[in-house]
Amino acid sequence: MRNITTATRTVLLLVITILMVTAYHGEAIACPQVNMYLAQCLPYLKAGGTPSAMCCNGLNSLKAAAPAKSDRQVACNCLKSVANTIPGINDDYAKQLPAKCGVNLGVPFSKTVDCNSIN
């Protein structure tokens, strides 16, 4: 199982996340849901360039799923945790992602953001 490709890991992560998200339907946003929305952004977050349409669609979905301040704070903490856990995520690329997708998420993408200051 050590030779699983990145694509296989991504697919497995998405399947697990989708299964977990169904348990949260109708409730406040949770990290598995945030991770699902932004899973397609990992290539951009690591290598830069232009984010894929699927990445930007996920960002738009995250914005729609996090309308309240408390949701944005949860999303912020999830993003911060992932950014500090997954090796190779570039903080500068993460900060540029919302602008590159044309989405004002209201949640900064940064490894060092204070999520309690989110409005």
Short mmCIF file of all heavy atoms in Angstrom, two decimals, residues 8-56:
data_model
loop_
_atom_site.label_atom_id
_atom_site.label_comp_id
_atom_site.label_asym_id
_atom_site.label_seq_id
_atom_site.Cartn_x
_atom_site.Cartn_y
_atom_site.Cartn_z
N THR A 8 -4.44 8.29 -6.95
CA THR A 8 -5.22 7.33 -6.18
C THR A 8 -5.51 7.88 -4.79
O THR A 8 -6.62 7.75 -4.29
CB THR A 8 -4.47 5.98 -6.09
OG1 THR A 8 -4.21 5.52 -7.41
CG2 THR A 8 -5.29 4.96 -5.34
N ARG A 9 -4.52 8.50 -4.19
CA ARG A 9 -4.74 9.10 -2.86
C ARG A 9 -5.81 10.17 -2.93
O ARG A 9 -6.66 10.26 -2.05
CB ARG A 9 -3.44 9.73 -2.34
CG ARG A 9 -2.48 8.75 -1.81
CD ARG A 9 -1.30 9.44 -1.19
NE ARG A 9 -0.21 8.49 -1.09
CZ ARG A 9 1.05 8.80 -1.09
NH1 ARG A 9 1.42 10.05 -1.17
NH2 ARG A 9 1.96 7.88 -0.99
N THR A 10 -5.76 11.00 -3.97
CA THR A 10 -6.74 12.08 -4.12
C THR A 10 -8.13 11.50 -4.27
O THR A 10 -9.08 11.97 -3.64
CB THR A 10 -6.38 12.96 -5.32
OG1 THR A 10 -5.08 13.51 -5.12
CG2 THR A 10 -7.37 14.11 -5.47
N VAL A 11 -8.27 10.48 -5.10
CA VAL A 11 -9.57 9.84 -5.29
C VAL A 11 -10.08 9.24 -3.98
O VAL A 11 -11.24 9.41 -3.61
CB VAL A 11 -9.51 8.78 -6.41
CG1 VAL A 11 -10.78 7.95 -6.45
CG2 VAL A 11 -9.26 9.44 -7.76
N LEU A 12 -9.21 8.53 -3.27
CA LEU A 12 -9.60 7.95 -1.99
C LEU A 12 -10.02 9.04 -1.00
O LEU A 12 -11.01 8.89 -0.29
CB LEU A 12 -8.47 7.12 -1.40
CG LEU A 12 -8.20 5.79 -2.10
CD1 LEU A 12 -6.93 5.14 -1.53
CD2 LEU A 12 -9.38 4.86 -1.95
N LEU A 13 -9.26 10.12 -0.95
CA LEU A 13 -9.59 11.23 -0.06
C LEU A 13 -10.96 11.80 -0.41
O LEU A 13 -11.78 12.07 0.47
CB LEU A 13 -8.52 12.32 -0.13
CG LEU A 13 -8.80 13.59 0.64
CD1 LEU A 13 -8.84 13.30 2.13
CD2 LEU A 13 -7.76 14.64 0.35
N LEU A 14 -11.22 11.98 -1.70
CA LEU A 14 -12.51 12.52 -2.12
C LEU A 14 -13.66 11.60 -1.75
O LEU A 14 -14.69 12.05 -1.27
CB LEU A 14 -12.50 12.79 -3.63
CG LEU A 14 -11.71 13.99 -4.08
CD1 LEU A 14 -11.66 14.06 -5.60
CD2 LEU A 14 -12.29 15.27 -3.52
N VAL A 15 -13.49 10.31 -1.98
CA VAL A 15 -14.54 9.35 -1.65
C VAL A 15 -14.83 9.36 -0.15
O VAL A 15 -15.98 9.43 0.28
CB VAL A 15 -14.17 7.92 -2.13
CG1 VAL A 15 -15.13 6.88 -1.58
CG2 VAL A 15 -14.15 7.88 -3.65
N ILE A 16 -13.78 9.30 0.65
CA ILE A 16 -13.95 9.32 2.10
C ILE A 16 -14.61 10.62 2.54
O ILE A 16 -15.53 10.62 3.36
CB ILE A 16 -12.60 9.12 2.81
CG1 ILE A 16 -12.11 7.68 2.58
CG2 ILE A 16 -12.71 9.42 4.30
CD1 ILE A 16 -10.67 7.45 2.98
N THR A 17 -14.15 11.72 1.97
CA THR A 17 -14.70 13.02 2.33
C THR A 17 -16.17 13.12 1.96
O THR A 17 -16.98 13.61 2.74
CB THR A 17 -13.89 14.15 1.66
OG1 THR A 17 -12.53 14.01 2.04
CG2 THR A 17 -14.39 15.50 2.09
N ILE A 18 -16.52 12.64 0.77
CA ILE A 18 -17.92 12.69 0.35
C ILE A 18 -18.78 11.87 1.30
O ILE A 18 -19.87 12.31 1.69
CB ILE A 18 -18.06 12.19 -1.10
CG1 ILE A 18 -17.48 13.23 -2.07
CG2 ILE A 18 -19.52 11.90 -1.45
CD1 ILE A 18 -17.31 12.74 -3.48
N LEU A 19 -18.31 10.71 1.69
CA LEU A 19 -19.06 9.90 2.64
C LEU A 19 -19.22 10.61 3.97
O LEU A 19 -20.28 10.56 4.59
CB LEU A 19 -18.37 8.55 2.84
CG LEU A 19 -18.39 7.61 1.63
CD1 LEU A 19 -17.54 6.38 1.91
CD2 LEU A 19 -19.81 7.23 1.27
N MET A 20 -18.18 11.29 4.41
CA MET A 20 -18.24 12.00 5.69
C MET A 20 -19.15 13.22 5.59
O MET A 20 -19.84 13.56 6.54
CB MET A 20 -16.84 12.40 6.14
CG MET A 20 -15.98 11.21 6.51
SD MET A 20 -14.29 11.68 6.89
CE MET A 20 -14.55 12.44 8.49
N VAL A 21 -19.16 13.88 4.45
CA VAL A 21 -19.96 15.09 4.29
C VAL A 21 -21.44 14.77 4.39
O VAL A 21 -22.22 15.57 4.92
CB VAL A 21 -19.64 15.78 2.95
CG1 VAL A 21 -20.67 16.84 2.60
CG2 VAL A 21 -18.26 16.41 3.02
N THR A 22 -21.85 13.61 3.93
CA THR A 22 -23.26 13.27 4.00
C THR A 22 -23.76 13.26 5.44
O THR A 22 -24.93 13.53 5.69
CB THR A 22 -23.54 11.91 3.33
OG1 THR A 22 -22.78 10.91 3.97
CG2 THR A 22 -23.25 11.95 1.85
N ALA A 23 -22.89 12.99 6.38
CA ALA A 23 -23.28 13.01 7.80
C ALA A 23 -23.49 14.43 8.30
O ALA A 23 -24.18 14.64 9.29
CB ALA A 23 -22.21 12.32 8.63
N TYR A 24 -22.93 15.41 7.61
CA TYR A 24 -23.04 16.80 8.06
C TYR A 24 -24.09 17.59 7.29
O TYR A 24 -24.23 18.78 7.48
CB TYR A 24 -21.68 17.50 7.89
CG TYR A 24 -20.62 16.93 8.78
CD1 TYR A 24 -19.61 16.14 8.26
CD2 TYR A 24 -20.61 17.17 10.14
CE1 TYR A 24 -18.63 15.60 9.06
CE2 TYR A 24 -19.64 16.64 10.96
CZ TYR A 24 -18.65 15.86 10.40
OH TYR A 24 -17.69 15.33 11.20
N HIS A 25 -24.83 16.96 6.41
CA HIS A 25 -25.81 17.66 5.59
C HIS A 25 -26.79 18.43 6.48
O HIS A 25 -27.38 17.89 7.39
CB HIS A 25 -26.55 16.67 4.70
CG HIS A 25 -27.50 17.33 3.76
ND1 HIS A 25 -27.08 18.08 2.70
CD2 HIS A 25 -28.85 17.38 3.75
CE1 HIS A 25 -28.12 18.55 2.06
NE2 HIS A 25 -29.21 18.14 2.68
N GLY A 26 -26.95 19.70 6.18
CA GLY A 26 -27.88 20.52 6.92
C GLY A 26 -27.31 21.11 8.19
O GLY A 26 -28.00 21.83 8.89
N GLU A 27 -26.09 20.81 8.52
CA GLU A 27 -25.47 21.36 9.71
C GLU A 27 -24.42 22.38 9.32
O GLU A 27 -24.18 22.64 8.16
CB GLU A 27 -24.84 20.22 10.52
CG GLU A 27 -25.86 19.21 11.01
CD GLU A 27 -25.23 18.08 11.78
OE1 GLU A 27 -24.04 18.16 12.12
OE2 GLU A 27 -25.93 17.09 12.03
N ALA A 28 -23.77 22.95 10.32
CA ALA A 28 -22.70 23.90 10.08
C ALA A 28 -21.58 23.22 9.30
O ALA A 28 -21.43 22.00 9.32
CB ALA A 28 -22.18 24.44 11.40
N ILE A 29 -20.79 24.01 8.63
CA ILE A 29 -19.68 23.48 7.84
C ILE A 29 -18.67 22.78 8.74
O ILE A 29 -18.50 23.14 9.91
CB ILE A 29 -19.03 24.62 7.02
CG1 ILE A 29 -18.18 24.04 5.91
CG2 ILE A 29 -18.26 25.57 7.91
CD1 ILE A 29 -17.82 25.05 4.85
N ALA A 30 -18.03 21.75 8.20
CA ALA A 30 -17.03 20.99 8.94
C ALA A 30 -15.81 20.78 8.04
O ALA A 30 -15.90 20.89 6.81
CB ALA A 30 -17.61 19.65 9.38
N CYS A 31 -14.70 20.44 8.64
CA CYS A 31 -13.44 20.28 7.89
C CYS A 31 -13.52 19.29 6.74
O CYS A 31 -12.99 19.58 5.66
CB CYS A 31 -12.29 19.94 8.84
SG CYS A 31 -11.76 21.34 9.84
N PRO A 32 -14.16 18.14 6.90
CA PRO A 32 -14.23 17.24 5.74
C PRO A 32 -14.90 17.90 4.53
O PRO A 32 -14.51 17.67 3.39
CB PRO A 32 -15.05 16.05 6.25
CG PRO A 32 -14.81 16.05 7.72
CD PRO A 32 -14.71 17.50 8.10
N GLN A 33 -15.91 18.72 4.79
CA GLN A 33 -16.60 19.42 3.71
C GLN A 33 -15.67 20.46 3.07
O GLN A 33 -15.58 20.55 1.85
CB GLN A 33 -17.84 20.10 4.29
CG GLN A 33 -18.78 20.68 3.28
CD GLN A 33 -20.02 21.27 3.95
OE1 GLN A 33 -20.12 21.33 5.17
NE2 GLN A 33 -20.95 21.71 3.13
N VAL A 34 -14.96 21.21 3.88
CA VAL A 34 -14.00 22.21 3.37
C VAL A 34 -12.93 21.51 2.53
O VAL A 34 -12.61 21.96 1.42
CB VAL A 34 -13.35 23.00 4.53
CG1 VAL A 34 -12.24 23.90 4.02
CG2 VAL A 34 -14.40 23.81 5.28
N ASN A 35 -12.41 20.41 3.04
CA ASN A 35 -11.38 19.67 2.32
C ASN A 35 -11.89 19.15 0.98
O ASN A 35 -11.17 19.19 -0.02
CB ASN A 35 -10.87 18.50 3.16
CG ASN A 35 -10.18 18.96 4.42
OD1 ASN A 35 -9.79 20.11 4.55
ND2 ASN A 35 -10.04 18.07 5.37
N MET A 36 -13.15 18.71 0.94
CA MET A 36 -13.73 18.21 -0.29
C MET A 36 -13.82 19.33 -1.33
O MET A 36 -13.47 19.14 -2.49
CB MET A 36 -15.12 17.64 -0.05
CG MET A 36 -15.78 17.10 -1.32
SD MET A 36 -17.52 16.68 -1.10
CE MET A 36 -18.25 18.29 -0.91
N TYR A 37 -14.27 20.49 -0.90
CA TYR A 37 -14.41 21.62 -1.82
C TYR A 37 -13.07 22.00 -2.45
O TYR A 37 -13.02 22.40 -3.61
CB TYR A 37 -15.00 22.84 -1.11
CG TYR A 37 -16.46 22.72 -0.77
CD1 TYR A 37 -16.93 23.15 0.46
CD2 TYR A 37 -17.38 22.18 -1.65
CE1 TYR A 37 -18.27 23.05 0.80
CE2 TYR A 37 -18.73 22.07 -1.33
CZ TYR A 37 -19.16 22.52 -0.11
OH TYR A 37 -20.48 22.42 0.22
N LEU A 38 -12.01 21.91 -1.68
CA LEU A 38 -10.73 22.42 -2.16
C LEU A 38 -9.72 21.34 -2.56
O LEU A 38 -8.57 21.67 -2.87
CB LEU A 38 -10.13 23.36 -1.12
CG LEU A 38 -10.99 24.59 -0.85
CD1 LEU A 38 -10.33 25.50 0.16
CD2 LEU A 38 -11.30 25.36 -2.13
N ALA A 39 -10.12 20.09 -2.59
CA ALA A 39 -9.19 19.01 -2.95
C ALA A 39 -8.59 19.23 -4.34
O ALA A 39 -7.41 18.94 -4.57
CB ALA A 39 -9.90 17.66 -2.89
N GLN A 40 -9.37 19.77 -5.25
CA GLN A 40 -8.87 19.99 -6.62
C GLN A 40 -7.89 21.16 -6.70
O GLN A 40 -7.30 21.40 -7.76
CB GLN A 40 -10.04 20.24 -7.57
CG GLN A 40 -10.94 19.03 -7.73
CD GLN A 40 -10.19 17.85 -8.32
OE1 GLN A 40 -9.39 17.99 -9.23
NE2 GLN A 40 -10.45 16.67 -7.79
N CYS A 41 -7.70 21.88 -5.61
CA CYS A 41 -6.78 23.02 -5.60
C CYS A 41 -5.35 22.62 -5.21
O CYS A 41 -4.44 23.44 -5.33
CB CYS A 41 -7.28 24.10 -4.64
SG CYS A 41 -8.88 24.80 -5.14
N LEU A 42 -5.17 21.39 -4.74
CA LEU A 42 -3.83 20.98 -4.28
C LEU A 42 -2.74 21.17 -5.33
O LEU A 42 -1.67 21.67 -5.00
CB LEU A 42 -3.85 19.55 -3.76
CG LEU A 42 -4.36 19.38 -2.34
CD1 LEU A 42 -4.43 17.91 -1.97
CD2 LEU A 42 -3.51 20.14 -1.35
N PRO A 43 -2.97 20.79 -6.60
CA PRO A 43 -1.91 21.01 -7.58
C PRO A 43 -1.50 22.49 -7.68
O PRO A 43 -0.31 22.81 -7.73
CB PRO A 43 -2.51 20.51 -8.89
CG PRO A 43 -3.53 19.51 -8.47
CD PRO A 43 -4.09 20.04 -7.17
N TYR A 44 -2.49 23.39 -7.70
CA TYR A 44 -2.18 24.82 -7.74
C TYR A 44 -1.45 25.26 -6.47
O TYR A 44 -0.47 26.01 -6.54
CB TYR A 44 -3.45 25.66 -7.92
CG TYR A 44 -3.18 27.11 -7.63
CD1 TYR A 44 -2.55 27.91 -8.57
CD2 TYR A 44 -3.47 27.65 -6.39
CE1 TYR A 44 -2.24 29.23 -8.28
CE2 TYR A 44 -3.16 28.96 -6.09
CZ TYR A 44 -2.54 29.75 -7.04
OH TYR A 44 -2.21 31.06 -6.74
N LEU A 45 -1.92 24.81 -5.32
CA LEU A 45 -1.34 25.25 -4.05
C LEU A 45 0.12 24.80 -3.90
O LEU A 45 0.88 25.43 -3.17
CB LEU A 45 -2.17 24.73 -2.88
CG LEU A 45 -3.57 25.33 -2.76
CD1 LEU A 45 -4.39 24.58 -1.73
CD2 LEU A 45 -3.50 26.81 -2.43
N LYS A 46 0.48 23.75 -4.61
CA LYS A 46 1.86 23.27 -4.54
C LYS A 46 2.75 23.84 -5.64
O LYS A 46 3.92 24.11 -5.41
CB LYS A 46 1.89 21.74 -4.60
CG LYS A 46 1.34 21.09 -3.36
CD LYS A 46 1.46 19.59 -3.43
CE LYS A 46 1.06 18.95 -2.12
NZ LYS A 46 1.35 17.52 -2.11
N ALA A 47 2.19 24.04 -6.83
CA ALA A 47 3.03 24.42 -7.98
C ALA A 47 2.72 25.79 -8.56
O ALA A 47 3.47 26.27 -9.40
CB ALA A 47 2.90 23.36 -9.07
N GLY A 48 1.62 26.40 -8.15
CA GLY A 48 1.27 27.71 -8.69
C GLY A 48 0.69 27.58 -10.09
O GLY A 48 0.13 26.55 -10.45
N GLY A 49 0.81 28.65 -10.86
CA GLY A 49 0.24 28.66 -12.21
C GLY A 49 -1.18 29.17 -12.17
O GLY A 49 -1.49 30.14 -11.48
N THR A 50 -2.05 28.49 -12.89
CA THR A 50 -3.45 28.86 -12.96
C THR A 50 -4.28 27.77 -12.30
O THR A 50 -4.16 26.60 -12.68
CB THR A 50 -3.90 29.02 -14.44
OG1 THR A 50 -3.08 30.01 -15.05
CG2 THR A 50 -5.35 29.43 -14.53
N PRO A 51 -5.12 28.12 -11.34
CA PRO A 51 -5.96 27.09 -10.72
C PRO A 51 -6.95 26.53 -11.74
O PRO A 51 -7.42 27.24 -12.62
CB PRO A 51 -6.68 27.82 -9.59
CG PRO A 51 -6.45 29.26 -9.80
CD PRO A 51 -5.33 29.44 -10.76
N SER A 52 -7.29 25.26 -11.60
CA SER A 52 -8.23 24.62 -12.51
C SER A 52 -9.64 25.16 -12.29
O SER A 52 -9.96 25.72 -11.23
CB SER A 52 -8.22 23.11 -12.30
OG SER A 52 -8.79 22.80 -11.04
N ALA A 53 -10.49 24.95 -13.29
CA ALA A 53 -11.89 25.35 -13.16
C ALA A 53 -12.55 24.59 -12.00
O ALA A 53 -13.36 25.16 -11.26
CB ALA A 53 -12.63 25.07 -14.46
N MET A 54 -12.18 23.32 -11.81
CA MET A 54 -12.74 22.55 -10.71
C MET A 54 -12.33 23.12 -9.36
O MET A 54 -13.11 23.13 -8.41
CB MET A 54 -12.33 21.09 -10.82
CG MET A 54 -13.02 20.38 -11.98
SD MET A 54 -12.57 18.64 -12.12
CE MET A 54 -13.40 17.98 -10.69
N CYS A 55 -11.11 23.60 -9.27
CA CYS A 55 -10.63 24.25 -8.05
C CYS A 55 -11.47 25.49 -7.76
O CYS A 55 -11.97 25.67 -6.65
CB CYS A 55 -9.15 24.60 -8.18
SG CYS A 55 -8.51 25.68 -6.88
N CYS A 56 -11.64 26.34 -8.77
CA CYS A 56 -12.40 27.58 -8.57
C CYS A 56 -13.87 27.29 -8.28
O CYS A 56 -14.49 27.99 -7.48
CB CYS A 56 -12.24 28.49 -9.79
SG CYS A 56 -10.55 29.13 -9.96
#
